[in-house]
Amino acid sequence: MTVARPTPTPWLMSASLSPAQTASALLTAQRVLVIGCAGAGKTTLARRLSTRFDLPFQSLDRDARWLPDWVARDPEEQRAIITRLAGAERWVMDGTDPDSLDLRLPRADLVLWLRVPRTTAVARVLWRGLVHWGRVRPGMARGCPERLPTASNLSALWQYDRDQAPVIEHHLTRYGADVPVVQLQSPVEIAQLFAT
């Protein structure tokens, strides 16, 4: 579990927590945001937190982004739904979507950013596609059966740290400077968090 980098950005330095502090924050948090790249384990972790801490589970993919047959909702409608979801008193929400972090970060008590190695994320996305192929996986909208990832999906995932992570860091600074952010890089660190 890392809460700092060799050259930390300001938001990470000001909001870093030890494992014990993170566990304590989870005990009192009413709204936990779980972000990360595809295949990082956001939905799995968010559902586990939902069960463990009796927080309502919200998924951006299931609740805001997708309509049946993989039709994306209108962006304005997505933002209206996310505003309503984020406005609830208690939740654990999975989904990165940088375009809605301005709505979610000010409401969050804690951000868990899953930063698994890209090889792990790619392997998980491929495995997920095979295991759930043709069926709707947990955390996905009704009528959106799992498909195998495209080369474009995998390429974007491979370049996540280069292309998406800086955007997320910018939004964390801009909209959630006072929100503690903890980066979890492996299943072992997640297990340690729950054990603590």
Side-chain angles (χ1 to χ4, degrees):
M1 179 180 325
T2 60
V3 289
R5 295 183 187 177
T7 54
T9 54
W11 62 265
L12 199 51
M13 286 178 61
S14 64
S16 55
L17 301 175
S18 70
Q21 289 171 320
T22 302
S24 177
L26 273 174
L27 288 173
T28 59
Q30 297 296 301
R31 292 172 298 277
V32 180
L33 185 56
V34 181
I35 63 174
C37 66
K42 298 182 299 295
T43 301
T44 301
L45 177 58
R47 288 165 59 101
R48 191 171 170 196
L49 291 170
S50 172
T51 300
R52 179 79 176 265
F53 298 103
D54 194 31
L55 294 169
F57 169 65
Q58 299 175 350
S59 167
L60 287 190
D61 282 339
R62 181 193 69 195
D63 301 327
R65 184 167 183 195
W66 296 109
L67 293 167
D69 298 320
W70 294 99
V71 174
R73 276 193 169 92
D74 174 78
E76 298 277 329
E77 184 182 0
Q78 286 185 49
R79 285 185 66 81
I81 292 170
I82 293 167
T83 298
R84 177 178 52 79
L85 294 174
E89 284 304 308
R90 303 177 73 247
W91 44 257
V92 56
M93 184 183 297
D94 85 326
T96 304
D97 182 23
D99 292 337
S100 67
L101 284 173
D102 63 316
L103 303 174
R104 297 178 293 137
L105 281 170
R107 294 282 300 149
D109 297 322
L110 178 66
V111 175
L112 300 179
W113 189 358
L114 302 183
R115 300 295 298 268
V116 301
R118 60 186 177 179
T119 51
T120 301
V122 167
R124 286 178 176 174
V125 166
L126 290 169
W127 179 250
R128 178 173 76 191
L130 291 171
V131 169
H132 297 287
W133 185 76
R135 296 179 292 127
V136 177
R137 66 180 160 87
M140 185 47 69
R142 258 187 329 215
C144 294
E146 192 67 16
R147 303 178 291 195
L148 294 176
T150 65
S152 175
N153 296 143
L154 295 175
S155 176
L157 176 53
W158 194 255
Q159 300 302 333
Y160 171 85
D161 281 332
R162 185 193 72 186
D163 298 338
Q164 290 297 313
V167 175
I168 294 166
E169 289 181 3
H170 170 75
H171 288 318
L172 287 167
T173 302
R174 184 170 182 189
Y175 303 112
D178 297 328
V179 181
V181 177
V182 177
Q183 296 188 51
L184 300 166
Q185 298 180 345
S186 72
V188 171
E189 291 182 350
I190 293 171
Q192 288 173 342
L193 177 62
F194 277 92
T196 305

